[in-house]
């Protein structure tokens, strides 16, 4: 069933003179044009993590012995390893070309600045930098036009996918190519974006596509591989790929595993934990092996674990007064966490407003306008970098490193090799140019490990400029990550705090530690991650003693930021209208039950259904699953007294009856286009319901006219004028669920039998044939109706799921929510005590906005 939901509107909305309450607007999925709230979209589907235990699947299980099970598990481990290696190689490709383009750009422009500082031709240097940056950004933005899903970091989309929402095109090969190529040009183009976030998306795409051995983008890439062709297996591989992306980006395999657990997957198991960790390790050491060999020509030395390496935090030997941090520093770390949370909330608030502005004023226009916006951001960013580096920097003394140990000396030597001396002489350097005129990773190293001080004015200006530009940049039409810009922005703030404490209060502190804590505070305030981010930062620093201060800082930053708004990824998920399910519901939601939130208007099929009816159902509805039911004759006398329908689901019966009548009218219109005169005649013979007279009960009018409320779905029973009221509106006994994709597959493959034959003569499909077209199953509109006999019958019972999870109408919402989210369900039937289906629950019915609206309706009713 299509995923849909609504976000609670704050004002009433008038529609054609009719005033609806906010609750009604929410449930109907409507909103005012001037309303700021974004409603969850209705065109998102849910993934189905639950297995369909039908007869073809049971046949596979019966033929599965221990040897085949071990083979299946071995194939899965091999694929997990291949995903990790491929993700590591992806990171190597991105890092190699980013370094190549960035070094080429800075060497040309830096040399030009040095020459023009004496000759007075700085404008020429600026034009060179603008030309290079705008060319790179133009290429990146054009790639996003080819595949719009490649824009941004991809983490909100992957988080939504692992939460159980199908995002169109998010794990396609074309998206992977545009993402990987686009991010290296975006970073090389000087935009304040990182390549670490897109690495997570790239790893997820590798995880989704590699085990399928086929591509929808490039149809020639197709191999017969019948394994892992379900949403369940695909989501497990996507979890492993996302974790491998984190591991490759930060050299943090454990952090990657925790990231996939904390930010992504709705549910977990022990076997998946081992596979995800193994995949993360494979990605980390693959990238480490090749980067160490290429950069240091020491193959097998494993010196560079990730794309972003913070370096070693270590005091100079012989300095007795130096400590990485002390207990007194924890008080400052808490205050920095508060500041990081406040600044992160401000960052998210501004970025949200910018995103809404783009949705209203940029995205509806021609697509090249997005390219123009990217070029505008690139031009202003380049101007800021150049002008600030040339005019706002201060000349600072370069501290000698002769007395350092070999390890610390090598770190400082590497740091000092990247300083910029623009207009500074006599063993001094330009502190602003050193931060702006270097790759972002190098600037972070400078703030973490540079012994000399940066001017407080320089750090303040750098923070403000970087904060504004990175906030503006995140959301333009280029692949862009947010980790590195947030770390750099926070590191400058932390280094500023360290300088103030050193200069003004003469405290003996380690500046690199405060820079690291500042980076953690600001990043935590923006993304609101705790467990995984703590481990990622610890693994990146390779210093376990930083565990406590990082954890405290991140917790304080999250608590502070959550007081004002959500994390940046959750904000963008909401802006996209994705019906994301939170970890749990609020306590007051238990005042509602399953019967309060379910959808009572059902479209269902019988176990043996005519082709004409199946085609009508599939063409006139958008639902993705249909209950398989029979009419319960045993309960006829229980629910009929006079003219009042009563049963265990009496409160839903009248709505159901009216819905069936309307459904028949819609199907008749569809049947008239069927290429069969027999079917058109069947439709024309149906009695049409005339509009009810004013004041007359519609249901009573239908009963008096003996209107047939549902078309002939059961081959042994034809609509008859002699049917009694009980025969027309029997309770529906629930037998199972069948998916739209399964019904279309049965029709396309001609799985049916004639009226004068037994259902045993119907052709049987194997499990591999049922899943052959995964994940792009054929649509009902692809079906050639002229080839079908509308009177043929389809037996759906072998292919339906006879044992899906169900709940009682009296089940509390928290129990329904936990079952739905924990088991990764797509549809949850509501069945009463005597086996009658009375409604169905989907993701739409469990979104926070929908539950809030229903709760308010509950209060109004009371």
């Amino acid at each position: 069933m299509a995923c849909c939901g609504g976000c609670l509107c704050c004002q009433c909305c008038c529609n054609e003179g009719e005033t609806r309450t906010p609750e009604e607007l929410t449930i109907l999925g409507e909103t005012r044009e001037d309303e700021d709230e974004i409603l969850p979209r209705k065109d998102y589907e849910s993934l189905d993590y639950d297995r369909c235990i039908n007869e073809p699947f049971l046949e596979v299980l019966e033929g599965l012995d221990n040897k085949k099970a071990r083979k299946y598990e071995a194939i899965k481990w091999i694929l997990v390893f291949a995903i990790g290696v491929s993700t590591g190689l992806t990171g190597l490709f991105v890092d190699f070309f980013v370094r190549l383009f960035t070094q080429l750009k800075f060497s040309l422009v830096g040399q030009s600045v040095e020459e023009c500082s004496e000759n007075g031709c700085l404008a020429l240097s600026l034009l060179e930098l603008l030309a290079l940056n705008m060319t790179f950004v133009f290429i990146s933005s054009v790639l996003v036009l080819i595949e719009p899903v490649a824009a941004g970091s991809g983490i909100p989309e992957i988080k939504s996918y692992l939460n159980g929402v199908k995002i169109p095109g998010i794990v396609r090969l074309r998206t992977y190519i545009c993402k990987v190529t686009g991010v290296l040009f975006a970073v090389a183009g000087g935009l304040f974006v990182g390549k670490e976030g897109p690495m997570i998306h790239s790893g997820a795409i590798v995880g989704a596509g590699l085990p399928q051995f086929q591509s929808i983008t490039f149809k020639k890439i197709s191999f017969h591989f019948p394994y892992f062709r379900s949403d369940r297996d695909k989501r497990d591989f996507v979890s492993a790929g996302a974790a491998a992306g984190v591991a490759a980006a930060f050299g943090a395999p454990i952090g990657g595993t925790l990231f996939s657990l904390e930010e992504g997957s709705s549910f977990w198991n022990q076997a998946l934990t081992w596979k995800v960790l193994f995949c993360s390790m494979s990605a980390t050491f693959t990238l480490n092996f090749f980067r160490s060999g290429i950069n240091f020509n020491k193959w097998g030395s494993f010196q560079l674990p990730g794309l972003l390496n913070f370096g070693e935090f270590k005091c100079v030997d012989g300095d007795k007064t130096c400590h990485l941090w002390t207990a007194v520093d924890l008080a400052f770390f808490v205050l920095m966490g508060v500041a990081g949370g406040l600044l992160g909330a401000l960052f998210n608030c501004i970025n949200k407003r910018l995103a809404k502005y783009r949705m209203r004023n940029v995205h509806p226009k021609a697509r090249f306008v997005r390219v123009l916006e990217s070029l505008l951001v690139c031009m202003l960013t380049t101007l800021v970098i150049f002008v600030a580096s040339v005019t706002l920097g201060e000349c600072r003394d370069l501290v000698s490193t002769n007395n350092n140990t070999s390890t610390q000396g090598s770190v400082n030597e590497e740091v000092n090799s990247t300083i910029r001396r623009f207009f500074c002489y006599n063993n001094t350097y330009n502190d602003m140019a050193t931060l702006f005129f270097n790759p972002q990773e190098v600037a972070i190293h400078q703030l973490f490990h540079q012994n000399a001080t940066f001017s407080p004015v320089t750090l303040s200006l750098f923070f403000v400029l970087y904060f504004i530009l990175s906030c503006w940049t995140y959301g333009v039409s280029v692949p862009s990550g947010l980790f590195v810009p947030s770390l750099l922005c926070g590191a400058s703030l932390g280094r500023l705090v360290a300088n103030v404490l050193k200069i003004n209060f003469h405290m003996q502190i380690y500046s690199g530690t405060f820079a690291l804590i500042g980076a953690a505070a600001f990043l935590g305030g923006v993304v609101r991650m705790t467990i995984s981010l703590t481990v990622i930062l610890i693994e990146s620093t390779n210093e376990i003693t930083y565990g406590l201060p990082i954890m405290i800082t991140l917790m304080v930053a999250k608590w502070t930021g959550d007081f004002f708004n959500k994390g940046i990824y959750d904000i963008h998920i909401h802006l996209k209208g994705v019906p994301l399910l939170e970890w749990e519901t609020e306590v007051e939601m238990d005042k509602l039950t399953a019967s309060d939130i379910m959808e009572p208007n059902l479209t269902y099929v019988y176990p043996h259904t005519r082709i004409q009816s199946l085609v009508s159902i599939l063409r006139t509805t958008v639902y993705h699953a249909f209950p398989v039911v029979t009419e319960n004759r045993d309960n006829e006398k229980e629910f009929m007294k006079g003219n009042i329908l009563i049963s265990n689901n009496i409160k839903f019966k009248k709505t159901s009856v009216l819905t069936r009548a309307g459904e028949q009218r819609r199907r008749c219109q569809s049947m008239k286009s069927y290429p069969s005169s027999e079917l058109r005649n069947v439709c024309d013979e149906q009695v049409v319901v005339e509009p009810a007279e004013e004041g007359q009960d519609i249901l009573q009018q239908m009963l008096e006219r003996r209107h047939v409320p549902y078309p002939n779905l059961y081959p042994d029973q034809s609509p008859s004028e002699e049917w009694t009221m009980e025969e027309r509106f029997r309770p529906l006994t629930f037998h199972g669920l069948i998916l739209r994709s399964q019904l279309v597959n049965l029709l396309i493959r001609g799985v049916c039998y004639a009226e004068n034959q037994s259902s045993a003569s119907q052709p049987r499909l194997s499990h591999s044939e049922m899943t052959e077209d995964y994940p792009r199953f054929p649509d009902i509109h692809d079906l050639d109706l002229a080839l079908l006999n509308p009177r043929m019958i389809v037996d759906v019972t072998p292919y339906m799921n006879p044992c899906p999870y169900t709940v009682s109408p009296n089940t509390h919402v928290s129990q329904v929510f936990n079952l739905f989210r924990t088991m990764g369900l797509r549809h949850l039937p509501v069945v009463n005590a005597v086996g009658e289906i009375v409604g169905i629950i989907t993701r739409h019915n469990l979104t926070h906005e929908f539950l809030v609206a229903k709760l308010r309706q509950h209060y109004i009713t009371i």
Side-chain angles (χ1 to χ4, degrees):
M1 189 174 286
C3 294
C4 54
C7 188
L8 185 62
C9 301
C10 298
Q11 301 176 4
C12 295
C13 176
C14 296
N15 184 15
E16 299 181 357
E18 179 184 0
T19 302
R20 290 198 177 107
T21 65
E23 294 76 22
E24 292 172 329
L25 289 173
T26 300
I27 296 170
L28 293 173
E30 302 175 4
T31 184
R32 292 174 55 175
E33 292 183 359
D34 59 346
E35 182 62 54
D36 287 335
E37 283 297 331
I38 306 296
L39 297 178
R41 288 166 47 184
K42 297 183 178 181
D43 56 344
Y44 282 118
E45 296 180 35
S46 284
L47 298 170
D48 199 350
Y49 201 76
D50 187 27
R51 286 192 177 97
C52 180
I53 313 294
N54 53 17
E55 291 186 12
F57 183 81
L58 293 176
E59 291 173 0
V60 173
L61 290 182
E62 290 175 0
L64 189 66
D65 55 16
N66 291 334
K67 184 177 180 181
K68 291 183 179 179
R70 287 194 296 269
K71 176 185 175 182
Y72 180 86
E73 192 68 14
I75 293 174
K76 184 175 287 188
W77 279 99
I78 293 172
L79 287 173
V80 165
F81 175 74
I83 292 170
V85 172
S86 301
T87 304
L89 294 176
T90 300
L92 178 69
F93 173 83
V94 173
D95 179 71
F96 178 80
F97 282 100
V98 166
R99 284 176 175 269
L100 178 65
F101 293 151
T102 303
Q103 289 176 359
L104 176 65
K105 179 182 71 174
F106 281 127
S107 61
L108 289 176
V109 178
Q111 183 179 358
S112 176
V113 171
E114 294 290 346
E115 295 175 356
C116 289
S117 61
E118 300 177 357
N119 302 329
C121 57
L122 286 177
L124 181 61
S125 302
L126 176 59
L127 290 178
E128 291 178 358
L129 184 61
L130 273 173
L132 289 171
N133 282 351
M134 294 186 72
T135 300
F136 290 150
V137 172
F138 176 77
I139 297 173
S140 177
S141 189
V142 169
L143 288 171
V144 170
L145 289 186
I146 298 174
E147 184 53 76
V149 183
S153 67
I155 295 179
E157 291 80 2
I158 295 302
K159 181 177 179 179
S160 302
Y161 186 92
L162 295 178
N163 190 263
V165 182
K166 182 182 294 185
I167 308 294
I170 194 63
V171 289
R172 295 180 63 177
L173 180 58
R174 184 169 66 182
T175 305
Y176 172 81
I177 295 173
C178 294
K179 192 83 173 185
V180 171
T181 311
V183 71
L184 68 89
F185 282 111
V187 175
L191 292 179
F192 292 166
V193 299
K195 55 182 179 290
E196 286 70 22
M199 272 300 303
I200 300 172
H201 187 188
S202 302
I205 298 175
V206 172
L210 190 61
Q212 302 298 315
F213 286 93
Q214 67 176 8
S215 171
I216 297 172
T217 304
F218 304 99
K219 299 187 181 300
K220 291 185 177 181
I221 303 177
S222 181
F223 301 93
H224 180 68
F225 191 72
Y227 304 102
F228 315 120
R229 310 195 68 77
S230 67
D231 287 342
R232 184 185 187 91
D233 293 319
K234 191 172 185 177
R235 289 182 68 184
D236 288 347
F237 285 122
V238 169
S239 297
V246 176
F250 298 97
I254 300 176
T257 304
L258 292 175
F259 172 86
S260 189
L261 172 61
E262 178 185 6
E263 288 295 316
S265 298
S266 306
F267 30 85
W268 207 256
N269 57 67
Q270 185 178 11
L272 182 60
T273 304
W274 272 111
K275 292 181 178 66
V276 169
L277 181 59
F278 179 65
C279 185
S280 300
M281 287 289 185
S282 303
T284 300
F285 286 98
T286 298
L287 180 63
N288 197 344
F289 175 80
F290 285 101
R291 285 194 71 204
S292 300
I294 293 174
N295 294 339
F296 299 111
N297 199 24
K298 295 181 180 179
W299 297 93
S301 60
F302 299 102
Q303 296 180 358
L304 296 173
L307 298 180
L308 179 62
N309 185 18
F310 291 161
E312 185 179 5
F313 290 79
K314 186 177 180 181
C315 290
V316 179
D317 290 346
D319 188 354
K320 303 293 185 179
T321 61
C322 177
H323 301 281
L324 293 182
W325 65 278
T326 63
V328 177
D329 297 335
L330 286 176
F332 295 103
F333 297 160
V334 171
L335 295 178
M336 292 174 67
V338 173
L342 293 173
L343 292 170
L346 177 62
F347 183 97
N348 294 352
C349 180
I350 298 173
N351 188 263
K352 181 179 179 180
R353 292 184 176 274
L354 285 172
K356 286 186 175 182
Y357 178 83
R358 290 188 178 104
M359 293 171 63
R360 289 192 297 262
N361 301 285
V362 177
H363 294 172
K365 297 181 180 179
R367 299 176 69 183
F368 74 91
V369 175
R370 306 182 190 184
V371 179
L372 294 180
E373 186 200 12
S374 302
L375 293 177
L376 175 63
V377 174
C378 175
M379 182 179 67
L380 291 180
T381 302
T382 304
L383 288 173
V384 168
I385 289 175
F386 191 87
V387 173
S389 300
V390 172
T391 62
L392 300 180
E394 295 186 15
C395 294
R396 315 292 296 183
D397 292 332
L398 183 62
V399 177
S400 175
T401 61
N402 295 332
N403 298 328
N404 294 341
T405 61
S406 59
T407 303
Q408 187 70 14
S410 62
V411 173
N412 286 325
E413 182 180 352
E414 180 183 354
V415 170
N416 291 336
S417 65
T418 56
I419 63 173
R420 297 289 181 254
R421 299 177 181 270
F422 294 173
F423 304 102
C424 294
Y425 309 97
N426 299 327
N427 204 30
T428 59
Y429 69 96
N430 187 322
D431 57 355
M432 183 70 80
T434 299
L435 295 177
F436 267 133
F437 238 79
N438 270 313
Q440 296 173 96
E441 293 82 359
V442 173
I444 292 175
H445 267 258
Q446 291 283 350
L447 294 170
F448 284 172
H449 302 292
Q450 176 63 273
N451 288 331
T453 59
F454 290 88
S455 166
V457 176
T458 297
L459 290 173
S460 300
L461 289 173
F462 178 81
F463 173 79
V464 172
L465 294 174
Y466 214 93
F467 181 96
I468 295 173
L469 288 174
S470 60
C471 185
W472 186 18
T473 304
Y474 188 73
V476 299
S477 293
V478 295
S480 57
L482 196 59
F483 276 93
V484 170
S486 299
L487 287 170
L488 181 53
C489 205
S492 63
L493 182 64
R495 191 66 185 254
L496 174 63
V497 174
N499 284 4
V500 171
L501 294 178
K502 271 188 171 182
I503 298 173
N504 296 342
F505 297 93
H506 307 288
M507 295 182 63
Q508 296 293 329
I509 59 174
Y510 187 76
S511 299
T513 298
F514 278 76
L516 174 64
I517 296 302
F522 188 78
L523 179 58
V526 171
V527 301
R528 311 289 165 78
M529 295 160 51
T530 52
I531 303 173
S532 56
L533 187 55
T534 300
V535 177
I536 287 172
L537 294 178
I538 292 174
E539 289 185 280
S540 298
T541 58
N542 198 25
E543 184 61 58
I544 190 62
T545 58
Y546 280 137
L548 180 62
I550 289 176
M551 181 179 67
I552 292 176
T553 303
L554 289 176
M555 290 174 60
V556 173
K558 175 177 171 57
W559 291 338
T560 304
D562 285 343
F563 186 78
F564 298 97
N565 51 31
K566 294 184 177 181
I568 188 69
Y569 300 135
D570 291 326
I571 287 176
H572 279 266
I573 288 173
H574 175 70
L575 291 176
K576 295 177 186 294
V578 178
L580 193 77
L581 297 185
E582 303 294 340
W583 281 102
E584 57 187 8
T585 60
E586 298 175 358
V587 176
E588 62 178 349
M589 295 302 174
D590 264 345
K591 297 175 182 177
L592 301 174
T593 61
S595 61
D596 295 321
I597 66 171
M598 70 182 186
E599 174 58 50
N601 303 326
L602 302 176
T603 299
Y604 51 86
V605 299
Y606 289 166
H608 299 265
T609 308
R610 294 191 188 281
I611 286 181
Q612 66 187 37
S613 295
L614 286 181
V615 171
S616 175
I617 291 172
L618 295 172
R619 291 184 62 181
T620 58
T621 65
V622 295
Y623 304 136
H624 291 274
F626 305 94
V628 180
V629 302
T630 55
E631 294 175 349
N632 190 353
R633 295 178 177 271
D634 295 333
N635 292 336
E636 290 176 7
K637 297 180 180 180
E638 295 183 12
F639 72 93
M640 191 65 208
K641 288 184 180 180
N643 292 328
I644 303 176
L645 296 173
I646 59 171
S647 71
N648 289 331
N649 58 331
I650 182 174
K651 59 185 296 186
F652 319 112
K653 191 60 63 178
K654 181 174 179 179
T655 305
S656 179
V657 169
L658 295 174
T659 302
R660 290 195 224 173
E663 190 175 299
Q664 184 198 16
R665 292 195 297 273
R666 292 195 305 270
R667 292 184 185 180
C668 283
Q669 296 299 321
S670 176
M671 289 178 185
K672 289 179 180 179
S673 64
Y674 198 98
S676 169
S677 59
E678 178 185 10
L679 182 56
R680 287 196 296 269
N681 294 335
V682 169
C683 181
D684 292 336
E685 291 172 0
Q686 303 294 337
V687 181
V688 179
V689 180
E690 299 178 0
E693 298 179 4
E694 186 176 358
Q696 185 178 6
D697 184 78
I698 298 179
L699 178 61
Q700 185 63 32
Q701 183 187 33
M702 290 173 56
L703 296 178
E704 291 176 355
R705 298 189 179 203
R706 296 182 178 273
H707 174 68
V708 182
Y710 204 75
N712 175 25
L713 297 184
Y714 205 80
D716 298 332
Q717 300 175 0
S718 299
S720 172
E721 290 296 323
E722 302 301 323
W723 274 11
T724 64
M725 195 184 316
E726 293 91 337
E727 289 175 320
R728 295 176 186 279
F729 308 117
R730 300 188 188 96
L732 303 174
T733 300
F734 179 69
H735 296 282
L737 278 178
I738 189 162
L739 300 178
R740 167 182 287 268
S741 59
Q742 294 172 325
L743 290 176
V744 176
N745 201 3
L746 295 177
L747 292 175
I748 286 182
R749 295 179 182 271
V751 179
C752 56
Y753 67 95
E755 285 185 288
N756 57 357
Q757 295 176 333
S758 169
S759 61
S761 63
Q762 175 176 279
R764 298 296 297 270
L765 296 184
S766 65
H767 185 263
S768 60
E769 290 174 321
M770 292 292 295
T771 59
E772 182 179 354
D773 296 318
Y774 180 84
R776 294 291 185 275
F777 291 105
D779 188 75
I780 184 60
H781 300 289
D782 301 330
L783 189 64
D784 188 357
L785 300 179
L787 301 179
L788 298 177
N789 182 355
R791 305 299 298 178
M792 297 288 282
I793 302 169
V794 178
D795 180 10
V796 302
T797 53
Y799 308 100
M800 71 179 184
N801 184 2
C803 49
Y805 291 96
T806 61
V807 293
S808 164
N810 297 323
T811 306
H812 289 284
V813 161
S814 62
Q815 296 172 293
V816 175
F817 187 91
N818 291 335
L819 176 64
F820 195 97
R821 194 184 195 281
T822 304
M823 303 312 299
L825 304 182
R826 187 177 184 181
H827 310 91
L828 185 58
V830 182
V831 180
N832 64 16
V834 294
E836 300 168 5
I837 184 168
V838 296
I840 197 165
I841 293 174
T842 64
R843 175 177 293 269
H844 148 67
N845 305 100
L846 293 172
T847 57
H848 176 73
E849 295 81 6
F850 188 88
L851 292 178
V852 169
K854 283 292 187 179
L855 185 62
R856 292 194 177 183
Q857 276 193 342
H858 175 74
Y859 286 142
I860 293 173
T861 303
I862 294 177

